[in-house]
Amino acid sequence: MDDVTRTNTGKVLYPATGFTKGEVLDYWERISPVLLPHVRGRPASFKRFPDGVDAEGFFQKNAPRGTPDWVHTVELPSPGSTKGRQTVRYVVVEDARTLMWAANLAVLEIHVPQWRVGPRGGVHDPDLMVFDLDPGAPATVVECCRVALMIRDELAAEGLSAWPKVSGSKGLHVYVPLKPVKGTRATAYARGLAERLVEREPELVVAGMNRSLRGGKVFVDWNQNNPARTTVAPYSLRARREPTVAAPVSWEEVEGCGAPEDLRFLPEDVLARLEKAGDLLEPIAKGDCQTPLPD
Ligand code: ATP
Ligand code: MN
């Protein structure tokens, strides 16, 4: 994007690997064709690290002062405000120019909700259900993969398709594209499924209240379907020690995962995967596999 200024491109944002702000900007630019369809219409929360990942970063929900007028924003009740009195003016990343503007503000993570806003700012019902699989040490993404496969099979039996991505941190996310449905229904459905898995595999899965007892197990966080929650966007960088990516993966990769390194992807890996296989989440991006949630 020629028209967005790039500043401090030589600054190292990931000291462990020397990954610079210029490299961060290049990644966002090159990944934008596949990232944008997953964030369009979804009010963004940014995690910014102007001094790199070893310094304190901050979550930014409100459009920062000086946001250019060509950046699409939408004013919504803030998630914590019960009566809707407090509002947040969210940025909606609609195009590559907006992405590069945000990137130059040292945005390393983009988080979005499971729902979209319409062109005039109306809030739609969620069109994604998500299962956030969090491993409790010593469990890793390997155990998350086993649980993800159970979730996939449960969903398939009900006619729903499921699409995995690594979080780029410790665990895995499984998306289910839906015909828009109330957040409370998606939450209840995800909870019911999670609790069935706990009954079947109590040594492997925990859900809900016994979260603290998850040592060696996988916590299925069904409450991520609460519309106040966000999930890191597909293809977002993570502000971890190294620039790992929240990368979509195939079910074959989930089945074959034998070690955490198998599903750990850096920007260059993700760009190479993109060349080879395109967006593994393309049906979600296109919105052409939305299925009604069964009762
Ligand atoms: P991991 O694999 O380590 O669990 P994760 O991205 O799934 O990585 P979680 O802690 O499980 O992290 O949180 C799930 C999602 O909830 C995040 O991707 C993020 O969008 C949102 N989230 C978590 N903590 C916060 C926070 N403090 N502020 C805003 N959003 C948050
Ligand atoms: Mn998680």
Side-chain angles (χ1 to χ4, degrees), residues 140-216:
T140 66
V141 74
V142 175
E143 284 78 14
C144 292
C145 286
R146 287 177 56 202
V147 176
L149 291 166
M150 291 165 68
I151 291 174
R152 175 194 65 176
D153 294 345
E154 286 280 315
L155 291 166
E158 305 226 304
L160 296 170
S161 66
W163 304 82
K165 83 173 198 285
V166 293
S167 73
S169 169
K170 297 199 183 94
L172 205 70
H173 300 149
V174 177
Y175 287 116
V176 185
L178 297 176
K179 291 252 183 282
V181 63
K182 292 273 170 253
T184 45
R185 270 199 66 208
T187 307
Y189 186 95
R191 178 181 189 165
L193 199 160
E195 288 174 350
R196 287 205 299 283
L197 298 188
V198 175
E199 272 175 39
R200 211 196 306 155
E201 295 269 3
E203 300 305 311
L204 179 63
V205 188
V206 290
M209 287 322 198
N210 48 2
R211 170 183 196 150
S212 57
L213 305 173
R214 63 174 152 159

Side-chain angles (χ1 to χ4, degrees), residues 51-72:
D51 292 315
V53 297
D54 286 353
E56 198 110 12
F58 58 99
F59 252 103
Q60 180 148 51
K61 287 182 184 287
N62 262 304
R65 210 162 302 180
T67 298
D69 57 8
W70 47 262
V71 168
H72 184 53

